[in-house]
Amino acid sequence: MLLLAFLSPSLLLLLPLILLLRPYLRNRSLRHVPGPPLARLSSWWLLYQARRGRRYLAVDAAHTKYGPLVRIQPNHVSIADLDALPVVYAHSGGWTKSNYYTAFVSIARNVFSTRNRAEHTRKRKVVSHTFSAKAIAQFEQYIVSNLKELVKQWHTLSDKATQVGEPYADMDVLHWFNYTAFDIIGDLAFGAPFGMLSRGRDLTEVHLTPNSPPTYAPAIEVLNRRGEVSATLGCLPGLKPYAKYLPDPFFRNGLAAVENLAGIAVARVNERIQAQENGMPSRNDLLARLMEAKDENGESLGRAELTAEALGQLIAGSDTTSNTLCALLYYSTKTPGVMEKLQKEIDEVVPDNVEIPNFDTVKELPYLHMVINETLRVHSTASLGLPRVVPPGPGVTIRSHHFPPSTVLSVPTYTMHHAPAIWGPDAHEFKPSRWSPGTITEAQKAAFVPFSVGPRACVGRNVAEMELAMIVGTVAKGFEFELRERGALETREGFLRKPVGCRVGMRRRARITGD
């Protein structure tokens, strides 16, 4: 009876997948690399950690126990060592992304998910000009317009609290940073904000195909589910075709989220193409640049490819920004003196009647960038090690260990950002002063990789840095906060590490006279 109970119909569906593990059960070249026993035998250990939303913590704990080299899958070694970064994420040598990224493919492969080096080179040439420093200067107007809406909404909330005798308006600031980031990237990538700030709600239009009727979905919730399920299935891509049949609703709901998120991009790109065909004037934004872009053969992106790239910008440009902003406000409010020093610096360069500082004003403020860098280090939005495949040839040797071709290697960002040997005994503390000129070491500069490193590093880094500086400048200039979140900032990891929430009290700063 026990055997029959174990072999339930749901579990029987896993039998073909168990067969997929057989090639992984032996890997003699890695037999001396330590790691969790189950991780040395199958990919289920890492998949389980990802399913729990704690992969980065499990890998970090494994490094603490086993040392700089840890086998986290039968053919995958995590290397927590500075010398590994320029090797694993090299510009040359033929390194490619692992099949982990297959789980993230939606609509078509984009610059993020493509694994073929030649195809990535083509896509990156088409996309990268969109994010040049010169190009993004023209995007500032869209950031400003959405920040005006954020300020308007927060003024309303603050005034309502004052009217009922409350010193602060109570809110989960993560929601508002999500609305802000989504509306900005909607404006930049699709021609119009999603309207989340004006509605104060997570809701947007979805089309599952270009011609299907519209439905509505909570885009932020969908994005979170998509990231979690894709990051989990990436640990065992062979599971993806069977995932919707698994008894755990996490997989079924996550795959539905993948479809809904793709539908958001389909809807917006379809609207933009129709507008262009109807002779509507174009605007200078990310989608316009992608539509105009040509590859080396003079070919434009096809609709599926264009939509996939736009979807990639939506994902990359929303979650990373909102996660970082939430963590920044949490740590800056929790750590004595940080918010006060930040506001003092901003007040010295931004007049009282200016609500939205322009980028030229804030881009060189030293303490603001010290706070942003320390947040990117401590919070480590992309905390996992990004997996790469050792290219054909003689293999590579790192820390006196030889790794043959086809071995998957990664360098864990969270572990590198919190290594006491690099950052000192206070590595887990939020300490912006460690970024003071003349204080930061060369090893620390090399270990700091919030946007990754090498040819597959974040193509939208310039836009992200502009958004962060302008949003932090606006929020710190105009508002005061009282932290109401108890204990540590709770997070959950998908592909990115996202705060679960952050409760604060918010009110207008009394010295601000602009309205």
Side-chain angles (χ1 to χ4, degrees):
M1 291 296 293
L2 181 61
L3 179 61
L4 290 175
F6 179 76
L7 295 176
S8 66
S10 297
L11 290 176
L12 283 171
L13 291 171
L14 296 179
L15 290 178
L17 307 179
I18 294 172
L19 296 177
L20 293 175
L21 300 179
R22 294 180 63 191
Y24 297 110
L25 294 180
R26 300 181 195 81
N27 192 323
R28 296 183 60 81
S29 65
L30 302 180
R31 66 187 184 278
H32 296 308
V33 179
L38 182 58
R40 294 161 59 86
L41 293 175
S42 82
S43 293
W44 288 100
W45 178 84
L46 193 63
L47 184 144
Y48 173 69
Q49 306 303 336
R51 170 63 184 89
R52 295 171 63 227
R54 292 291 184 269
R55 169 178 170 161
Y56 75 98
L57 286 176
V59 171
D60 186 62
H63 278 291
T64 299
K65 181 175 181 179
Y66 297 108
L69 299 179
V70 176
R71 196 174 175 188
I72 59 174
Q73 291 178 284
N75 195 43
H76 183 177
V77 176
S78 178
I79 308 177
D81 188 275
L82 264 181
D83 291 340
L85 278 168
V87 177
V88 175
Y89 304 105
H91 280 273
S92 60
W95 291 77
T96 59
K97 288 187 171 184
S98 77
N99 65 351
Y100 170 81
Y101 292 87
T102 301
F104 292 85
V105 178
S106 177
I107 304 174
R109 288 190 181 272
N110 57 23
V111 73
F112 168 78
S113 61
T114 190
R115 298 179 60 207
N116 180 275
R117 283 178 63 87
E119 182 63 13
H120 174 260
T121 299
R122 171 187 167 270
K123 290 179 182 294
R124 192 171 179 103
K125 283 181 179 178
V126 170
V127 173
S128 60
H129 80 285
T130 304
F131 295 99
S132 67
K134 182 179 179 181
I136 67 166
Q138 301 172 56
F139 301 156
E140 183 172 346
Q141 58 185 311
Y142 307 123
I143 298 174
V144 169
S145 64
N146 285 283
L147 286 180
K148 286 181 178 178
E149 185 64 32
L150 173 67
V151 169
K152 175 185 174 182
Q153 294 294 331
W154 281 14
H155 281 178
T156 300
L157 292 174
S158 179
D159 293 345
K160 286 181 178 179
T162 300
Q163 290 167 9
V164 297
E166 294 291 338
Y168 292 91
D170 183 77
M171 66 181 185
D172 186 338
V173 76
L174 174 62
H175 292 326
W176 286 99
F177 284 144
N178 277 330
Y179 304 156
T180 303
F182 243 87
D183 274 1
I184 288 175
I185 197 61
D187 221 353
L188 290 177
F190 295 112
F194 289 101
M196 294 185 186
L197 280 170
S198 59
R199 289 192 299 264
R201 292 182 61 201
D202 173 18
L203 195 68
T204 193
E205 186 176 299
V206 173
H207 288 259
L208 295 181
T209 66
N211 299 315
S212 65
T215 58
Y216 294 88
I220 296 164
E221 179 184 336
V222 164
L223 180 61
N224 290 343
R225 286 183 176 176
R226 176 263 182 195
E228 290 176 7
V229 77
S230 297
T232 301
L233 291 174
C235 300
L236 187 56
L239 182 62
K240 188 175 180 180
Y242 306 92
K244 63 183 178 182
Y245 303 111
L246 296 176
D248 185 350
F250 167 86
F251 294 99
R252 182 171 59 255
N253 294 337
L255 291 173
V258 171
E259 290 188 5
N260 279 330
L261 195 61
I264 294 172
V266 167
R268 287 304 185 95
V269 171
N270 192 45
E271 288 173 8
R272 191 64 171 274
I273 290 175
Q274 287 180 344
Q276 184 184 60
E277 291 173 349
N278 292 333
M280 298 287 289
S282 183
R283 67 205 296 265
N284 195 355
D285 56 21
L286 292 175
L287 187 55
R289 288 180 170 273
L290 287 173
M291 292 169 70
E292 295 165 358
K294 309 286 185 183
D295 63 18
E296 64 273 17
N297 298 318
E299 297 292 332
S300 302
L301 297 176
R303 180 177 292 209
E305 194 174 14
L306 174 67
T307 307
E309 294 299 344
L311 175 61
Q313 303 316 319
L314 169 65
I315 295 166
S318 57
D319 233 11
T320 50
T321 302
S322 58
N323 295 349
T324 301
L325 289 167
C326 182
L328 185 147
L329 188 63
Y330 170 83
Y331 286 110
S332 297
T333 308
K334 180 181 180 181
T335 308
V338 172
M339 182 58 75
E340 292 79 5
K341 187 173 181 179
L342 179 59
Q343 289 174 325
K344 182 177 184 296
E345 180 182 67
I346 293 170
D347 288 342
E348 289 174 352
V349 298
V350 182
D352 286 353
N353 63 346
V354 174
E355 292 178 343
I356 318 296
N358 61 45
F359 185 50
D360 282 341
T361 301
V362 297
K363 68 180 180 181
E364 302 295 343
L365 292 182
Y367 193 69
L368 181 148
H369 287 283
M370 289 160 63
V371 171
I372 290 175
N373 281 347
E374 185 67 348
T375 302
L376 290 169
R377 184 191 72 83
V378 169
H379 179 66
S380 303
T381 298
S383 292
L384 54 79
L386 302 173
R388 301 290 188 263
V389 181
V390 177
V396 297
T397 299
I398 303 174
R399 291 192 66 90
S400 301
H401 192 100
H402 181 260
F403 299 100
S406 300
T407 306
V408 177
L409 304 179
S410 62
V411 181
T413 303
Y414 177 88
T415 300
M416 297 303 293
H417 282 187
H418 293 79
I422 297 173
W423 303 96
D426 59 358
H428 287 271
E429 296 179 19
F430 183 78
K431 189 178 176 183
S433 61
R434 75 173 79 247
W435 294 92
S436 300
T439 301
I440 198 77
T441 68
E442 291 303 315
Q444 290 168 345
K445 291 178 184 177
F448 183 59
V449 288
F451 297 97
S452 189
V453 65
R456 304 301 295 260
C458 177
V459 70
R461 178 172 184 166
N462 289 334
V463 175
E465 291 177 337
M466 172 187 274
E467 281 190 63
L468 287 172
M470 291 182 65
I471 297 172
V472 173
T474 298
V475 167
K477 177 68 180 178
F479 302 93
E480 295 177 351
F481 301 93
E482 176 185 79
L483 186 63
R484 295 178 176 178
E485 193 71 22
R486 296 182 178 180
L489 183 67
E490 184 182 354
T491 65
R492 182 171 178 83
E493 185 186 37
F495 178 73
L496 301 175
R497 178 183 170 208
K498 188 176 184 66
V500 174
C502 183
R503 201 104 220 150
V504 301
M506 176 277 298
R507 69 182 178 192
R508 296 194 199 205
R509 288 184 71 198
R511 69 189 302 274
I512 300 299
T513 58
D515 197 31

